[in-house]
Amino acid sequence: MEFWRIPLDVEEIQITRGVVHILEERCKGCGYCIEFCPRQVLAFSSRFNERGYHPPVIKNPDDCVNCHYCEIICPEFAIYSIEISEQDDKRPDPRLHSNPR
Amino acid sequence: MTEKRSKAKERSGHPLDDLLREDRIPHIWCPGCGIGTAFSSCLKAIRSSGVEPKNVVMVSGIGCSGRAAGYVNLDSFHTTHGRAIPFATGLKLANPVLHVIVFSGDGDLFAIGGNHLIHAARRNVDMTVICVNNFNYGMTGGQVAATTPKSARTTTTPFGNPETPFSLPHIAYASGATYVARWTILHTREIAKSVEEALLKKGFSFIEVLSPCPVNYGRRNRESSLETLKIYQDKTIIKNGAHPSSVDIDPEKGIILGKFIDVDRPTCKEMYDKICRSE
Ligand code: SF4
Ligand code: SF4
Ligand code: SF4
């Protein structure tokens, strides 16, 4: 997310963070999770899974906001995200760096 | 069973795995088919509704969408073509505690089983009908259906479809459904919310989910599944409360989505008890 200016209350707003997990062997490479992730966390892999599809890879792991969108749009039950608690989260605030897309 | 479920959970870990018959996954649906997304939104709704899974049953008919009953780890039944609704009606009347979900396709529910749908809506049988509409008969090779848009190409309309399609929400409303909504598979949260509301609501609820069938409909109309979803993203207009007679599917002017109807009316069983069982 790129801001034209950093909102004044940026420190107070809580954004959840997630870790996304991919069950590669279930994926059929439709690309829905990649295309419609609001934070462009995912990209196509050049590898093949055992059934010959290109599964997604995690391109920007720090940007995942645990919105679960990929989890439900995936027709194959092949991807899901899990919230990480703030204590475990050592990553930079995703709002303060621009998105590399 | 619980032991089997927890083992399954360890093996992979998708949050919906315990509602799936994991030994049957991967399912047969083609890459990019939207049925899987409609199905997962529905499972998500079952989970978030708080209804006990042992009180939820899923019934489906024949067709690609009809396979859902075989993948869900609930009591379920895969009926003969078009007959999901009468089977579900029987279940509900015999055991009114159950939350009955019918998950099937446009051909099964509106063509082969069209009469069952309109009469279940008329009698206001308490059930949730989820209709995955992919505009053609996918399983049998992509023939023209009652939902195929005008001019669209299918195996049986190689020059374009000369007929006018049904508007499913309009039929459901006109027949008496007390809850009517339409979404696309891009609207996963809205589908889940509608299914949840429908599950908790008394009466006949109908939810149409527009979905790509890239292998048959998409291929003949030059649309990849991602392109179909882009159309859903760019051309849909959410109009909650719109009158079901006005909810067009027109890729040029717009595809109208939303929760159109949410009213209360005595259910089939309530009327029966009142009129036939009072002394
Ligand atoms: S949970 Fe949301 S932000 Fe994270 S990868 Fe999935 S879609 Fe992207
Ligand atoms: S949505 Fe699912 S099946 Fe499609 S590419 Fe992503 S992980 Fe694979
Ligand atoms: S034929 Fe069409 S509807 Fe059937 S599974 Fe394949 S893409 Fe889905």
Side-chain angles (χ1 to χ4, degrees):
Chain A
M1 210 187 319
E2 269 183 81
F3 287 116
W4 173 68
R5 68 168 177 81
I6 305 285
L8 296 174
D9 57 354
V10 74
E11 298 297 326
E12 288 152 39
I13 294 172
Q14 298 279 318
I15 287 192
T16 49
R17 312 272 191 96
V19 181
V20 56
H21 297 262
I22 300 165
L23 306 170
E24 277 197 14
E25 70 289 354
R26 288 185 180 181
C27 173
K28 288 184 191 159
C30 67
Y32 291 171
C33 59
I34 300 167
E35 190 64 36
F36 295 103
C37 164
R39 305 301 306 266
Q40 290 89 40
V41 172
L42 306 158
F44 271 119
S45 149
S46 52
R47 278 178 303 110
F48 292 99
N49 68 7
E50 63 186 22
R51 290 187 296 151
Y53 298 110
H54 293 291
V57 283
I58 303 166
K59 181 178 63 172
N60 302 313
D62 293 351
D63 286 351
C64 176
V65 289
N66 196 41
C67 69
H68 300 294
Y69 191 73
C70 54
E71 186 174 306
I72 304 301
I73 201 168
C74 173
E76 305 294 331
F77 302 90
I79 187 167
Y80 61 97
S81 66
I82 290 190
E83 184 171 352
I84 37 176
S85 66
E86 254 178 90
Q87 294 94 293
D88 301 346
D89 190 5
K90 304 274 184 294
R91 304 177 303 186
D93 191 321
R95 291 161 297 186
L96 299 177
H97 67 94
S98 60
N99 200 309
R101 182 171 173 170
Chain B
M1 191 62 164
T2 352
E3 204 191 299
K4 204 171 123 207
R5 278 190 191 173
S6 61
K7 259 194 202 139
K9 197 139 208 172
E10 267 163 44
R11 202 169 58 243
S12 60
H14 192 284
L16 293 172
D17 274 353
D18 57 341
L19 287 174
L20 285 175
R21 292 185 201 178
E22 265 197 275
D23 51 331
R24 313 201 65 205
I25 301 293
H27 50 59
I28 62 148
W29 297 316
C30 309
C33 176
I35 299 171
T37 304
F39 184 53
S40 102
S41 307
C42 170
L43 297 188
K44 168 94 179 147
I46 295 173
R47 168 66 45 76
S48 55
S49 68
V51 176
E52 277 248 27
K54 74 171 190 340
N55 290 335
V56 184
V57 290
M58 188 180 279
V59 185
S60 49
I62 299 298
C64 295
S65 308
R67 305 296 292 238
Y71 297 127
V72 71
N73 194 14
L74 300 170
D75 286 337
S76 63
F77 198 74
H78 192 174
T79 66
T80 46
H81 210 352
R83 312 301 169 222
I85 287 181
F87 189 89
T89 305
L91 276 174
K92 183 69 193 178
L93 293 180
N95 188 356
V97 176
L98 298 177
H99 294 263
V100 183
I101 301 177
V102 171
F103 188 102
S104 210
D106 50 306
D108 185 71
L109 287 169
F110 281 86
I112 297 91
N115 260 305
H116 297 304
L117 187 127
I118 60 178
H119 291 287
R122 174 182 63 79
R123 300 152 100 190
N124 200 22
V125 183
D126 182 13
M127 62 168 73
T128 301
V129 177
I130 300 164
C131 175
V132 180
N133 180 3
N134 55 21
F135 307 108
N136 76 145
Y137 286 97
M139 181 164 271
T140 47
Q143 292 82 3
V144 71
T147 47
T148 307
K150 252 186 244 170
S151 306
R153 285 167 203 272
T154 66
T155 35
T156 44
T157 55
F159 307 114
N161 179 22
E163 299 175 4
T164 304
F166 271 156
S167 164
L168 307 188
H170 195 190
I171 295 180
Y173 163 73
S175 310
T178 53
Y179 186 104
V180 180
R182 174 197 278 151
W183 302 108
T184 80
I185 64 151
L186 202 59
H187 299 79
T188 56
R189 288 206 180 85
E190 290 86 348
I191 303 171
K193 182 154 181 277
S194 276
V195 174
E196 192 182 323
E197 286 176 357
L199 268 177
L200 300 173
K201 187 183 173 72
K202 263 200 217 156
F204 188 91
S205 304
F206 175 75
I207 300 155
E208 176 184 18
V209 181
L210 306 183
S211 161
C213 166
V215 167
N216 282 309
Y217 187 81
R219 182 158 54 97
R220 296 198 173 80
N221 293 286
R222 307 261 147 89
E223 238 176 71
S224 72
S225 53
L226 274 172
E227 282 163 354
T228 310
L229 263 65
K230 286 271 159 57
I231 295 175
Y232 293 166
Q233 190 173 35
D234 298 340
K235 302 285 181 184
T236 51
I237 305 165
I238 297 181
K239 278 194 193 166
N240 290 315
H243 193 275
S245 66
S246 68
V247 295
D248 295 332
I249 298 183
D250 185 337
E252 303 303 314
K253 282 191 245 146
I255 301 169
I256 313 292
L257 308 176
K259 175 167 94 174
F260 306 130
I261 299 291
D262 189 355
V263 294
D264 286 311
R265 188 159 82 76
T267 64
C268 176
K269 182 170 181 302
E270 284 167 357
M271 290 304 283
Y272 185 82
D273 286 348
K274 190 170 154 214
I275 293 173
C276 309
R277 283 203 169 142
S278 57
E279 55 272 52

